[in-house]
Amino acid sequence: MGLDKINWKLLTLLSQNGRLTYAELAKLVHLSAPAVAERVRKLEELGVITGYGVQVNLEKAGIPITALIGCQVYRTKEREFKALIMEVDEVIECYNVTGPYAFMLKVGVKSMSKLDALLERLIDLSDTNTMMIMSQPVDRTMPLNIAQQD
Amino acid sequence: MGLDKINWKLLTLLSQNGRLTYAELAKLVHLSAPAVAERVRKLEELGVITGYGVQVNLEKAGIPITALIGCQVYRTKEREFKALIMEVDEVIECYNVTGPYAFMLKVGVKSMSKLDALLERLIDLSDTNTMMIMSQPVDRTMPLNIAQQD
DNA sequence: ATTGAAATTACCGTTGA
DNA sequence: TCAACGGTAATTTCAAT
């Protein structure tokens, strides 16, 4: 739990550039490369770091349409809904949240007709509210300056 | 735009493991390592790949509370709101969307009082609707099986 | 295939409990 | 005194060309 300042720095640096080498990280946190390697290894072991990935510009990748979909799932259909969601390729993120919109989805599609087809699949299990994403002014992996937060 | 099947495969593989080497990628797509390196280089140049990062378990990192906040921003305060959002450390993602909730935020905080303080900062510029995140059954970088989408 | 860099290992020293 | 952590150096692996 209590990650120290250096581990936070490492997480922040890696979230901004997951390909930094241990030597580069070492310079940035004023430690030796093996010391950094050991810290990162432990962060992975603890499950704090769960993996490494690329950041993709979906628009440039040929996915021009992304949307958030608030889903007011019918009380008896929650389990079924969750199972469905996990099978739908277009779903990028799915949050189970408090409040009337039990699930919030982020989806990416190639066309409006694809989006329409997707909503059709959901409508049997929930009322949906679709919000088209126009821009994303902030996109991070985690909060900033976490060390400063009490 | 028209990324071919192999480039999609590369993107998918890298989104699942951003540390795969060119040699490993080469085996998985049945090409030579230099050919893969060239493709990845071009994807970066085109801006399809915008970076590399780590995936972090916020809970294990000591950020136990995450929430989505729908923000109904007052008509005259949109610019001010956007400026504020970009300065708030706790904001992880911010989407500008269609519909009454002009902005949807994903935030991460260490305590409920921190969340309360954050909402206080927003309330002058917008009506907010907070949804606490209980779980995230799907977390991807992009849609699956994109090649199959027409 | 060769060169160079990065990861890993082993070993030692320091510190603090 | 012992456990935890970091540094240095040598070795081995591996990636880029």
Side-chain angles (χ1 to χ4, degrees), chain A residues 68-137:
Chain A
L68 301 180
I69 307 177
C71 298
Q72 210 158 348
V73 181
Y74 305 139
R75 296 283 166 261
T76 58
K77 303 288 181 69
E78 294 240 346
R79 208 158 290 273
E80 201 179 340
F81 182 86
K82 200 162 168 180
L84 171 62
I85 280 315
M86 294 179 64
E87 280 180 359
V88 177
D89 290 342
E90 289 88 350
V91 174
I92 301 170
E93 294 170 25
C94 172
Y95 298 97
N96 187 5
V97 297
T98 60
Y101 289 105
F103 290 89
M104 186 68 75
L105 312 180
K106 177 181 173 185
V107 303
V109 291
K110 287 202 164 184
S111 65
M112 283 308 240
S113 60
K114 278 275 173 194
L115 179 58
D116 187 44
L118 169 54
L119 290 170
E120 279 297 327
R121 295 181 70 181
L122 301 178
I123 203 67
D124 290 333
L125 303 175
S126 75
D127 284 337
T128 63
N129 176 18
T130 304
M131 296 164 267
M132 307 304 300
I133 296 174
M134 296 188 291
S135 67
Q136 185 170 357

Side-chain angles (χ1 to χ4, degrees), chain A residues 37-56:
Chain A
E38 178 63 9
R39 278 171 174 267
V40 171
R41 196 194 59 73
K42 271 188 188 156
L43 286 172
E44 291 167 351
E45 189 181 86
L46 289 170
V48 175
I49 292 177
T50 59
Y52 297 83
V54 283
Q55 290 142 11
V56 175

Side-chain angles (χ1 to χ4, degrees), chain B residues 71-89:
Chain B
C71 298
Q72 210 158 349
V73 181
Y74 305 139
R75 297 283 167 259
T76 59
K77 302 288 181 70
E78 292 240 348
R79 208 158 288 274
E80 201 179 339
F81 182 85
K82 200 162 166 180
L84 171 62
I85 281 314
M86 293 179 64
E87 278 180 2
V88 177
D89 290 342

Side-chain angles (χ1 to χ4, degrees), chain B residues 13-58:
Chain B
L13 290 168
L14 282 172
S15 73
Q16 286 159 8
N17 182 355
R19 288 210 158 167
L20 287 169
T21 65
Y22 295 140
E24 291 167 318
L25 286 170
K27 283 204 173 174
L28 294 165
V29 300
H30 308 105
L31 282 180
S32 70
V36 167
E38 179 62 10
R39 277 170 175 269
V40 172
R41 197 193 60 72
K42 273 191 186 150
L43 287 171
E44 291 168 349
E45 190 181 86
L46 288 170
V48 175
I49 292 176
T50 59
Y52 298 83
V54 283
Q55 290 144 11
V56 174
N57 182 323
L58 290 177

Side-chain angles (χ1 to χ4, degrees), chain B residues 102-116:
Chain B
F103 290 89
M104 187 67 77
L105 312 180
K106 177 181 172 183
V107 303
V109 291
K110 287 202 163 183
S111 66
M112 282 309 235
S113 58
K114 279 274 172 193
L115 179 59
D116 188 43

